């Protein structure tokens, strides 16, 4: 870290590390956190001096606006380590730009680019031992912003806290998921906040998803709220359909998250010579394709799961099983992405960001 | 308080009161809190023993799910004092039922009725000096539930905290508000969480409202997300239109909050012999009524503002000023409600709930 950065961030190191207590072979997602966290408060109209401190609980007023009005946004990113011990982020500029887009929609002040990157870099150096090499292993990074001002008037807060916490993640099992296509519940409205990683978008999905799970489906593919005719996204993943050899995914709009993995898959499809159409796709179209056998694959794309194959979907009481394609696009995109992320293949688009 | 209740709630009294530091003539909404707060944690599958303790900041993990996924709901209620020093709540059963409806939609476990009422009653006795008599003065009560489990997986939490905090409120000035009718932004989708007092519904309105405020409008009247043709609610208030002598308000649905003040106004209209239609109402209809002079009043109805008259609205660049009606319904409902709430008139529907 340059002296300049060291001056900009106040660093208090943990006196001992918790790392020896962690079983890296049995990690549940998002439950174990590293030794340090990044904290930067907004008050008096500006972001104050950033701090890195030992990971710890914080003190917050019960009247903090985040508790009452959900004024909060987040990002999901991963750090990877190659066999030589070099550490990389994947397209972090995308996450930086998106958290500020989310913040703007939620009336949260934008966060400075230098603080974001210097915070990540300083954290990843301090907690570098927590990033395990090996394809599939990673350190999940959770930048988030919450409204902390202690006043329950229903208006944008004057005080915020930006934080980054880090949680080691193991390889996701590649078990295919069964999904239900939404017919009644909705994730977001035109003119709403669906495109943003706003906290409330996620909590709002828990109940419909729990109903789906009771029926044996792990996730929901959301449809447009007006007609439920158009397939949109899966809430924590964007969604791709393969009909014969063509890939189709919905265009982003103000209801659909502009996923980093989604746009990487679209670019990789072009690189690999796979025809990928970004267009509206209807429930009717995929049901017909499932019936006539032209629907070869469905998969989700997102930072946490990377690529998540779908083995079945349900709609209006009809269940369609999808037999794994011979030369699976899902597998191809997953291995291509992981190889780039772990510095095992060429990075022609400059997506890797090395932490030096 | 009965011994039974005392046993059920663990009470730790504040050693000193902050009340002498409070200027009750200059209260800003939701910034000052009373000496005590109610706290009840959900863990190991059940609500634990409730506590009342001195109002204070709390310690919470940065990974608590409320910060990341907005899994949080709230209520707004008021306690009133009459000239004899008796304390009343207004239709608290409605708030109790609604917070559990909100919780169900947000996959939060429902809160027990006895804890809710015993908590309110114990708090209102301990902090009774904070409730000032006089029409318009009240103690605003904010029950809320937040997901506290320290794990950032995107699924319903296993740990929650239910709290009630209390803030003295002065009479709202009866200054009419100027409102903008939504044409682009939306508050909620069919099949979404708009009917619930879910935290994220409120933060999502802050940015569009701030744009409206820059144009000189204090609030937005939200329209349906699909067509923007139908008038719905104002985000913190339900909305009523008076055309000639008829009152019209939108029916509640899964996008619109089932407001306690709204349903009280509908009942009072019946009592007062005012024709009140609960039906869909279009932007076109009120613009035409404004043009031909039949639109006499618009007002909002909600716990915080009671009744809030609207003096002007804007839609598609057209601004309509509404001259105050001679015998204003807004004033009539406001005084009728306040008189019931402050025990100054008959309570034929049993809306007052005395704290004994």
């Amino acid at each position: 870290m340059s002296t300049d950065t060291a001056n900009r961030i106040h660093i208090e190191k943990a006196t001992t590390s918790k790392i020896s207590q962690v079983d890296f072979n049995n990690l549940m997602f998002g439950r174990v956190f590293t030794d340090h966290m990044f904290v930067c408060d907004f008050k008096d109209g500006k972001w104050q001096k950033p701090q890195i401190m030992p990971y710890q609980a914080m003190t917050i007023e019960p009247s903090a606006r985040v508790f009452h009005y959900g004024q909060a946004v987040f990002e999901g990113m991963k750090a990877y380590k190659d066999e030589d011990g070099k550490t990389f982020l994947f397209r972090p500029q995308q996450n930086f730009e998106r958290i500020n887009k989310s913040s703007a929609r939620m009336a949260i002040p934008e966060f400075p680019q230098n603080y974001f990157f210097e915070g990540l870099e300083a954290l990843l150096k301090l907690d570098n031992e927590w990033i395990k090499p090996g394809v599939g292993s990673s350190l999940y990074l959770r930048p988030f912003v919450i409204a902390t001002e202690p006043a329950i008037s229903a208006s944008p807060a004057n005080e915020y806290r930006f934080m980054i916490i880090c949680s080691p993640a193991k390889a996701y099992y590649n078990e295919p998921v069964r999904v239900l296509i939404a017919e009644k519940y909705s994730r977001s409205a035109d003119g709403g906040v669906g495109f943003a990683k706003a906290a409330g978008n996620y909590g709002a999905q828990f109940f419909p998803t729990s109903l789906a799970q009771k029926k044996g489906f792990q996730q929901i593919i959301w449809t447009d709220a007006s007609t439920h005719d158009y397939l949109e996204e899966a809430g924590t993943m964007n969604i791709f359909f393969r009909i014969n050899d063509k890939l189709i995914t919905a265009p982003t709009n103000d209801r659909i998250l502009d996923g980093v993995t989604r746009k990487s898959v679209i670019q990789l499809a072009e690189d690999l010579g796979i025809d990928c159409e970004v267009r509206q796709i209807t429930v009717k179209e995929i049901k017909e394709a499932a019936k006539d056998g032209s629907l070869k694959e469905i998969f989700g794309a997102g930072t946490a799961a990377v690529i998540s194959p779908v083995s079945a979907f349900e709609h209006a009481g009809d269940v369609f099983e999808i037999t794994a394609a011979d030369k699976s696009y899902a597998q191809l995109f997953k291995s291509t992405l992981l190889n780039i992320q772990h510095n095992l293949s060429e990075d022609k688009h400059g997506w890797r960001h090395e932490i030096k």
Side-chain angles (χ1 to χ4, degrees), chain A:
Chain A
M1 187 174 2
S2 72
T3 315
D4 187 43
T5 306
N7 285 340
R8 209 141 40 198
I9 303 180
H10 178 268
I11 295 179
E12 179 197 345
K13 283 192 192 175
T15 49
T16 55
S17 175
K18 301 170 293 192
I19 198 167
S20 63
Q21 302 159 31
V22 177
D23 178 359
F24 281 83
N25 294 315
N26 288 295
L27 291 167
M28 280 178 71
F29 180 77
R31 293 193 172 266
V32 168
F33 296 90
T34 62
D35 292 322
H36 297 90
M37 64 186 192
F38 175 85
V39 180
C40 186
D41 287 326
F42 182 92
K43 60 179 175 180
D44 303 328
K46 64 173 206 235
W47 291 100
Q48 305 292 314
K49 187 181 174 82
Q51 295 177 269
I52 286 179
M53 61 179 73
Y55 184 89
Q56 60 194 278
M58 60 185 166
T59 300
I60 185 165
E61 293 285 331
S63 59
R65 229 162 282 191
V66 61
F67 296 137
H68 303 270
Y69 306 127
Q71 202 189 4
V73 298
F74 71 96
E75 270 301 321
M77 312 169 67
K78 281 178 174 172
Y80 310 90
K81 196 173 268 182
D82 72 7
E83 295 302 326
D84 298 331
K86 286 185 199 159
T87 300
F88 301 92
L89 292 169
F90 182 73
R91 308 187 76 177
Q93 183 70 23
Q94 297 286 330
N95 301 96
F96 168 69
E97 288 170 10
R98 193 171 58 187
I99 200 168
N100 277 345
K101 272 185 203 148
S102 299
S103 286
R105 182 60 182 84
M106 295 299 288
I108 293 172
E110 295 186 15
F111 196 64
Q113 178 157 349
N114 58 344
Y115 285 5
F116 185 84
F117 281 94
E118 289 165 12
L120 282 171
E121 287 169 18
L123 264 183
L124 290 176
K125 283 174 191 167
L126 281 166
D127 287 339
N128 198 265
E129 282 304 303
W130 293 78
I131 314 167
K132 298 299 178 191
V135 168
S137 287
S138 62
L139 185 66
Y140 183 83
L141 306 167
R142 171 56 60 90
F144 64 106
V145 195
I146 56 174
T148 50
E149 191 186 14
I152 57 169
S153 40
S155 56
N158 293 306
E159 294 170 18
Y160 297 88
R161 173 165 285 191
F162 180 103
M163 302 183 76
I164 306 173
I165 58 178
C166 316
S167 178
K170 64 177 177 180
Y172 259 72
Y173 291 119
N174 211 4
E175 276 182 31
V177 293
R178 299 172 69 83
V179 302
L180 189 147
I181 295 175
E183 294 169 70
K184 177 187 167 198
Y185 291 105
S186 305
R187 180 179 170 275
S188 63
D190 279 321
V193 301
F195 72 91
K197 285 188 86 76
N201 288 342
Y202 294 78
Q205 298 177 57
F206 291 172
F207 175 68
T209 304
S210 71
L211 295 180
Q213 286 168 349
K214 280 178 196 147
K215 293 176 71 177
F217 300 92
Q218 290 85 47
Q219 297 223 18
I220 292 175
I221 299 183
W222 296 103
T223 49
D224 68 293
S226 302
T227 66
H228 295 292
D229 287 340
Y230 296 95
L231 296 155
E232 303 215 313
E233 60 149 288
T236 60
M237 306 187 294
N238 294 104
I239 199 98
F240 287 80
F241 303 90
R242 175 184 173 183
I243 295 183
N244 292 319
D245 285 341
K246 184 180 287 179
L247 208 54
I248 307 165
T249 194
T252 56
N253 58 30
D254 59 4
R255 300 185 303 270
I256 302 181
L257 189 80
D258 184 16
V260 179
T261 312
R262 173 187 176 278
K263 68 175 71 168
S264 302
V265 167
I266 294 169
Q267 179 62 58
L268 290 177
E270 191 183 319
D271 296 355
L272 294 161
I274 293 170
D275 188 12
C276 179
E277 291 183 358
V278 178
R279 64 162 169 90
Q280 288 197 313
I281 178 164
T282 62
V283 179
K284 188 160 171 270
E285 183 177 354
I286 69 147
K287 285 178 82 166
E288 283 171 3
K291 280 178 198 156
D292 71 20
S294 60
L295 180 71
K296 306 296 184 192
E297 292 182 74
I298 303 178
F299 59 88
T303 293
V306 191
I307 300 291
S308 183
V310 170
S311 62
F313 70 92
E314 193 260 17
H315 181 265
D318 301 328
V319 176
F320 298 89
E321 306 286 335
I322 304 168
T323 42
D326 243 7
K327 290 181 179 171
S328 154
Y329 283 180
Q331 280 308 322
L332 178 61
F333 288 118
K334 182 164 190 170
S335 62
T336 306
L337 274 171
L338 287 170
N339 285 342
I340 296 172
Q341 289 164 341
H342 286 270
N343 195 25
L344 293 166
S345 64
E346 193 200 352
D347 177 27
K348 62 188 272 194
H349 301 290
W351 288 345
R352 280 193 297 265
H353 174 101
E354 189 175 351
I355 303 297
K356 283 179 183 163

